[in-house]
Amino acid sequence: MREALSENPETLGVARDDVLSALLSSIRLSGSLQFCFMPTGDWQTDAAPSLAALSARASGTMPFHIVVAGRCWLKVEGQATDLEAGDVLVFPFGTGHQLGAGREGMLVLPTRDLPEKPWREIPVLRYGAEAEGVRLLCGYLQWDGLSFGPLRQALPKLIHVRTRAANDGDWLRATIRQMTDEVDRPRAGGVSMLPRLTEIIFIEILRHQIMMAAPDTSGFLAALADPALSRCLSVIHDNPKRDWSLEQLAAASGLSRSALADRFQAILSTSPIRYMRDWRLTLASMALATSTQPIAAIAYDTGYATEAAFNRAFSRAFGSPPAAWRAMARD
């Protein structure tokens, strides 16, 4: 019976970073929308904003807010939080929320006031007559990573990063300044530049959230904190197209096959082979949504010998066959 290899914090940190880097580099934003919101005086948004409603209808649609200047408050499920410049908010599951300043201020509905698309420049919405106020970059992200169960279960309802307080927040603040410059000084390509900058910020915030969260006794964070599982996940995410056997994964983890299977079941409620297949199907869903690759080729990359077998597995996992999924995603 093989025992787990001895660990030190540096070795575990490298393995955990490898998993996150491989996983997050595989999952890209499939869409986004950005606008600038500049209210002054006392104001408040609707308690059930349109972006939250959109998130409820479309899986993977996440509202976000970046406080560029000024102060305001956030209310989520009755809890109030003060926000300041440099704060970044992401709502992975589209949780309803409200923003505002002061008490009982004017109701502002920025999503209602957005101009019709397409936009040649990023919209700037101003409310109130005062010279100084709050400035926010707002919008939503369409992210297919939420279809992968272990990652979805690791995320909270709200990700809130205070970049002014973060030790590694300098480059995040610099990226936010660049986004603001793209709004203030529109240039050719600015509308396409903002989604890319937004994606960079989102991926780093997601990585920060996962790395900083306290691991529980089960779930994805617990698996990342477990030396053997972290090594196993690292080889799966580093080369997902390889047809890994349980014996090969056990060798990579430093455990016997039975010990690896038992630990996977206890912490991730699945088997190593099922985890690998689910991740491959997640990658297949993204390929269907973002590429023109034939379904037969995607089926082969996902590890299925026939397109029919892939269709059955994909339908069980996502509730519709690959061709219907592709059409729906593109709509």
Side-chain angles (χ1 to χ4, degrees):
M1 182 81 74
R2 191 188 301 113
E3 298 295 332
L5 301 178
S6 60
E7 290 296 330
N8 62 64
E10 290 186 0
T11 302
L12 176 56
V14 169
R16 183 174 58 185
D17 281 349
D18 286 346
V19 175
L20 287 175
S21 297
L23 188 151
L24 296 178
S25 65
S26 301
I27 304 177
R28 310 301 298 270
L29 293 181
S30 58
S32 64
L33 174 147
Q34 299 85 12
F35 61 92
C36 186
F37 173 41
M38 299 176 65
T40 61
D42 290 353
W43 57 275
Q44 58 184 318
T45 61
D46 189 352
S50 299
L51 291 180
L54 174 62
S55 301
R57 296 194 304 271
S59 175
T61 303
M62 302 177 291
F64 75 88
H65 307 288
I66 301 173
V67 185
V68 176
R71 293 174 177 270
C72 61
W73 48 255
L74 165 74
K75 290 182 181 177
V76 181
E77 298 178 345
Q79 297 294 317
T81 303
D82 291 330
L83 307 176
E84 64 178 5
D87 284 11
V88 182
L89 311 168
V90 181
F91 298 85
F93 308 105
T95 304
H97 57 279
Q98 187 177 25
L99 297 169
R103 293 186 177 182
E104 299 180 357
M106 62 178 174
L107 179 66
V108 294
L109 302 169
T111 53
R112 182 200 62 184
D113 297 333
L114 287 172
E116 292 291 329
K117 295 190 78 172
W119 301 333
R120 298 187 63 181
E121 298 177 356
I122 300 301
V124 178
L125 305 177
R126 293 181 170 85
Y127 300 89
E130 290 84 349
E132 298 293 333
V134 184
R135 184 173 194 184
L136 301 104
L137 290 173
C138 303
Y140 72 81
L141 309 167
Q142 186 71 34
W143 190 59
D144 296 328
L146 289 180
S147 63
F148 186 53
L151 185 56
R152 182 176 64 249
Q153 293 160 11
L155 296 178
K157 292 181 179 180
L158 166 64
I159 300 175
H160 179 192
V161 176
R162 296 186 184 274
T163 64
R164 285 188 173 182
N167 293 330
D168 56 353
D170 288 347
W171 81 268
L172 269 175
R173 292 192 292 271
T175 307
I176 293 172
R177 284 195 297 271
Q178 186 176 354
M179 293 178 70
T180 307
D181 288 343
E182 292 291 342
V183 175
D184 291 342
R185 294 189 288 273
R187 294 172 291 174
V191 172
S192 62
M193 178 64 72
L194 272 179
R196 289 168 172 78
L197 294 172
T198 303
E199 181 173 27
I200 291 171
I201 289 177
F202 169 67
I203 293 297
E204 179 56 27
I205 284 176
L206 192 64
R207 180 177 179 275
H208 181 273
Q209 169 67 31
I210 293 175
M211 293 290 287
M212 294 298 104
D216 203 343
T217 56
S218 63
F220 188 64
L221 298 183
L224 289 180
D226 182 281
L229 292 192
S230 185
R231 282 193 297 268
C232 182
L233 294 176
S234 180
V235 298
I236 290 174
H237 286 282
D238 189 53
N239 191 359
K241 291 185 180 181
R242 179 171 174 176
D243 191 18
W244 294 100
S245 67
L246 181 59
E247 185 174 5
Q248 290 169 327
L249 294 176
S253 69
L255 296 174
S256 68
R257 288 181 297 176
S258 61
L260 177 63
D262 289 345
R263 196 172 298 188
F264 246 86
Q265 189 62 46
I267 294 180
L268 286 168
S269 300
T270 189
S271 70
I273 299 303
R274 172 55 61 187
Y275 180 98
M276 178 178 66
R277 289 175 180 170
D278 288 346
W279 176 238
R280 285 175 166 182
L281 287 171
T282 299
L283 294 177
S285 73
M286 290 184 281
L288 289 166
T290 61
S291 77
T292 58
Q293 193 177 10
I295 292 177
I298 295 175
Y300 178 79
D301 287 343
T302 310
Y304 289 89
T306 67
E307 187 175 340
F310 172 65
N311 285 350
R312 290 193 296 270
F314 191 91
S315 297
R316 284 195 300 269
F318 289 89
S320 60
W325 174 272
R326 168 171 273 174
M328 207 165 32
R330 292 182 176 180
D331 285 343

